Amino acid sequence: MKFKSYAKINLSLDVLRKREDGYHDLCMVMHSVNLYDDIDINFSDDGKISLSTNLSFLPCNNKNHAYMAADLFFKETGIENPGIKINIFKRIPVSAGLAGGSSNAAAVLRGLNEIFDTKLSKEQLAVIGKKIGADVPYCIYGGTMLAEGIGEILTPLPDLPECPVVLVKPDINISTPSVFKRIDVKSIKLHPDTKGIISSLKNNDLNGVCKRLYNVLEAPAEEVLAESGMSGVTGHIKSIMLDCGAIGTLMSGSGPTVYGIFSDENNAKCASEKLKKTYPSTLAIYQ
Ligand code: C5P
């Protein structure tokens, strides 16, 4: 059976405090975009979980979130694994701030719930998903959501009005913990206007959302990029997007992907063609 595993972007990301367990309490507005990996789940009769993907560098063992999801599903439900083969066709850039791995885990949980007719609710799947990663609960639901706590306290929001989005993943992988490690919550001077974003969503006001896009992880992620010799890359991508008419730009999650929101498809096409020359991993998404 085939399942779709959607990428997300952050319309905002705020870090509120560091918790005792090392995680951070966040307040973020997440939005699913029309970019997805294909997850194919079939039976085998060897009693094992086997995983394959179209990207040779990805682990296919219990380090992969999709594998972890399948393993946890059988442990939590008590169902004996008859043997399953999971194949993932990746389109979502990896280690990019787009929740690709978390989304794959969520799709495997939803998929196995359907295949084995376990009838777990989304809430129950989200509780299992949280054990895999902080973004997995959101990925169980998708759509436009306010995510609080470590990311698992979710409130549905009105969908972002349909708009073309251009995503650029610079050719470098950033580790999420390395970005969070640089955050000193007390020294964050600017916070996103989350309330303003929510009321703009309620008013179907794309411009209102776009002028408030803000991510407090962008500055520490840029420090990490600079240390890897990619100083100024975020600003460069944003300036090309804005020159082509983007109405808002932001880094998603802990980066390094930068996205631009457009109101016009031709502007998005122009930006994506220009950006592809320097950044091969540029994707234009028409919602
Ligand atoms: O849960 P996940 O594996 O996606 O998180 C990766 C890392 O990101 C964590 O180990 C932690 O360093 C950081 N993180 C955090 N606070 C969150 C989510 C993630 O500090 N709410």
Side-chain angles (χ1 to χ4, degrees):
M1 281 179 81
K2 289 186 191 307
F3 304 91
K4 285 180 178 174
S5 167
Y6 286 92
K8 64 86 184 161
I9 54 173
N10 286 86
L11 302 179
S12 68
L13 193 161
D14 202 1
V15 180
L16 306 182
R17 67 190 69 84
K18 186 162 185 192
R19 299 156 50 115
E20 300 274 295
D21 61 8
Y23 270 74
H24 293 78
D25 278 327
L26 308 176
C27 179
M28 41 188 184
V29 178
M30 319 265 254
H31 174 67
S32 300
V33 289
N34 193 18
L35 165 68
Y36 55 87
D37 296 338
D38 294 319
I39 310 266
D40 210 345
I41 307 179
N42 288 299
F43 287 111
S44 61
D45 47 19
D46 57 6
K48 293 182 184 155
I49 298 165
S50 30
L51 179 64
S52 55
T53 80
N54 58 321
L55 300 179
S56 57
F57 60 86
L58 283 183
C60 286
N61 53 21
N62 60 4
K63 293 208 161 49
N64 188 305
H65 283 183
Y67 186 106
M68 285 158 73
D71 196 33
L72 254 184
F73 175 84
F74 292 118
K75 285 190 178 130
E76 299 271 336
T77 57
I79 292 172
E80 194 181 336
N81 178 12
I84 53 159
K85 285 193 285 191
I86 304 170
N87 181 257
I88 307 179
F89 184 82
K90 297 286 306 173
R91 291 188 194 86
I92 307 172
V94 175
S95 296
L98 301 171
S102 301
S103 167
N104 292 169
V108 167
L109 289 174
R110 282 191 283 110
L112 293 176
N113 191 38
E114 208 175 308
I115 290 170
F116 289 93
D117 199 23
T118 20
K119 296 190 168 56
L120 296 176
S121 64
K122 285 190 174 172
E123 287 82 356
Q124 287 170 308
L125 292 174
V127 170
I128 301 176
K130 189 187 164 192
K131 296 179 184 173
I132 302 165
D135 284 342
V136 182
Y138 161 75
C139 293
I140 294 283
Y141 295 88
T144 309
M145 288 260 185
L146 176 69
E148 296 169 284
I150 65 163
E152 86 288 22
I153 303 171
L154 297 163
T155 311
L157 296 172
D159 243 329
L160 184 73
E162 282 191 9
C163 55
V165 176
V166 175
L167 297 173
V168 176
K169 158 83 180 7
D171 190 16
I172 180 172
N173 292 346
I174 293 191
S175 105
T176 303
S178 74
V179 175
F180 272 102
K181 254 185 219 148
R182 283 166 192 264
I183 277 273
D184 171 13
V185 179
K186 282 190 210 92
S187 63
I188 300 174
K189 291 192 183 71
L190 264 178
H191 293 272
D193 174 13
T194 312
K195 279 190 185 147
I197 291 185
I198 293 172
S199 63
S200 301
L201 287 168
K202 287 184 177 157
N203 293 328
N204 208 34
D205 173 8
L206 184 60
N207 283 301
V209 173
C210 285
K211 70 179 183 205
R212 292 181 174 86
L213 301 176
Y214 195 71
N215 178 356
V216 301
L217 293 184
E218 201 170 288
E222 275 175 353
E223 285 174 21
V224 176
L225 287 168
E227 280 175 11
S228 311
M230 297 191 84
S231 170
V233 74
T234 309
H236 182 237
I237 296 167
K238 286 183 171 185
S239 68
I240 295 175
M241 289 176 169
L242 292 168
D243 281 350
C244 291
I247 49 175
T249 59
L250 193 70
M251 182 183 279
S252 184
S254 57
T257 300
V258 177
Y259 69 84
I261 293 182
F262 295 78
S263 53
D264 182 287
E265 256 188 42
N266 289 327
N267 289 351
K269 267 188 200 135
C270 150
S272 128
E273 274 157 27
K274 278 196 183 160
L275 286 158
K276 257 190 195 138
K277 291 179 189 153
T278 315
Y279 306 100
S281 192
T282 295
L283 295 161
I285 298 162
Y286 305 104
Q287 306 276 57

